[in-house]
Amino acid sequence: MSTAPAFTPRVFSGIQPSGGLTLGNYLGALKRFVEKQEQGVETIYCLVDLHAITVWQDPSKLRHSTREAAAAFLAAGIDPARSILFNQSQVPAHAELAWIFNCVARMGWLSRMTQFKDKAGKNRENAAVGLFVYPNLMAADILAYHATHVPVGEDQKQHLELTRDIAIKFNHDYGVEFFPVVEPVIEGVATRVMSLRDGTKKMSKSDPSDMSRINLTDDADTIAQKIRKAKTDPEPLPDEVSGLESRPEARNLVNIYAALEDTTPTAVLRAFGGHGFGSFKPQLADLAVTKLAPISAEMTRLMADPAEIDRILGDGAARADAIARPILERCFDIVGMVRSRPV
Ligand code: AMP
Ligand code: TRP
């Protein structure tokens, strides 16, 4: 009997171009996107500009951030010949499939989404409707390609569960095996990189304090300074990982070291156990500069030629469209839409 899976493995992931990318995006997402590409699986990566406008974006800044995020992907090692790299709004299938999913997902499911609650804040009446249905668009991003594997950071787990629920309900309601039930790929030591100012908060591009994060555009001096000033406790590093419990800032810096060096927190503590932060931080700063400075330099080089970035995104969009359009057409047919327009 054949054990071949019904769906060929295909990786899809996305990042919002809503400001500069951080070390969290790099370790939790970008670096792992490159690893997937190197494994030889089909990889599709998307700058989700339609998601970004669920909160206000200045148009010229959005355009800049989209190109800058594309430059970050390329500088981190995404090869546009082997991966598809594009921005979401250039492929209409995302928004079209999202509408179908608006009619599949239930109000109750979306009301439980913690990202909506966080971003809408207290004044929910004033939140954009798009912010509420954001996860349906995310499900559409993934399912328009019949993607099977989605590498993301820990914060996206709930959205991926919703994507699974949408696929299952669609398949059930229409009596088909049409959409794959996707696998979240949340792995590695850096699935949740924390703020440098508060080890209990996620490192985020929207944090008001620039000292809380390392931006991929930061130069060597800025990176080193931010690490030197990172909040810590007065104790030396422990010998074992269990000693990091209830020391969120220490754990965060050890995890960052491990992720940058492609090793484990255990190995980091084997080398640094007993050391104070006075000796650990400069070594972490050196490592971070060694790994990140070439990325930021390459981003600057790429950003000098925005037309070339736009060309890469446009080419990626055409290739993405060629995959998504036939899937969307089959979906419309399943739902009962007459399709008769001459092509
Ligand atoms: P976003 O910047 O919210 O569009 O996130 C893009 C990707 O980066 C998603 O896969 C997130 O889970 C991941 N990500 C964002 N911030 C962090 C963080 N602090 N630690 C790990 N992964 C993150
Ligand atoms: N919601 C994700 C975030 O905020 C970004 C995203 C949009 C995404 N569509 C996606 C991630 C599809 C993975 C797959 O980080």
Side-chain angles (χ1 to χ4, degrees), residues 12-14 16 48 51 115 134 138 141-142 150 152 156 159:
F12 182 97
S13 197
Q16 297 190 57
V48 290
H51 277 96
Q115 184 170 304
Y134 176 116
M138 176 160 162
D141 298 338
I142 298 164
V150 184
V152 281
Q156 295 303 311
H159 288 160

Side-chain angles (χ1 to χ4, degrees), residues 9 37 43 52-53 61 103 136 141 180 194 199-200 224 227 230 256 261 289 292 297 321 338:
Q37 169 188 278
T43 40
I53 61 164
K61 283 194 192 138
C103 303
N136 295 343
D141 298 338
M194 308 310 273
T200 62
I227 291 178
I256 291 173
E261 185 74 325
V289 168
L292 300 179
D321 191 79
V338 172

Side-chain angles (χ1 to χ4, degrees), residues 11 14 56 82 92 96 118 125 149 161 176 208 229 242 272 284 324 338:
V11 170
W56 169 253
R82 283 183 293 153
E96 293 174 75
D118 289 350
E125 294 291 309
H149 293 77
E161 278 157 11
V176 288
K229 296 216 164 143
S242 58
F272 291 101
L284 175 59
V338 172

Side-chain angles (χ1 to χ4, degrees), residues 276-328:
F277 286 101
S279 83
F280 180 65
K281 277 180 170 179
Q283 307 221 38
L284 175 59
D286 281 352
L287 176 63
V289 168
T290 309
K291 299 284 178 177
L292 300 179
I295 297 179
S296 116
E298 177 64 0
M299 282 173 70
T300 308
R301 194 188 67 78
L302 291 164
M303 284 300 278
D305 188 0
E308 173 60 8
I309 294 183
D310 292 5
R311 191 198 61 74
I312 290 171
L313 293 177
D315 175 69
R319 285 151 64 208
D321 191 79
I323 300 172
R325 183 49 50 186
I327 292 176
L328 185 70

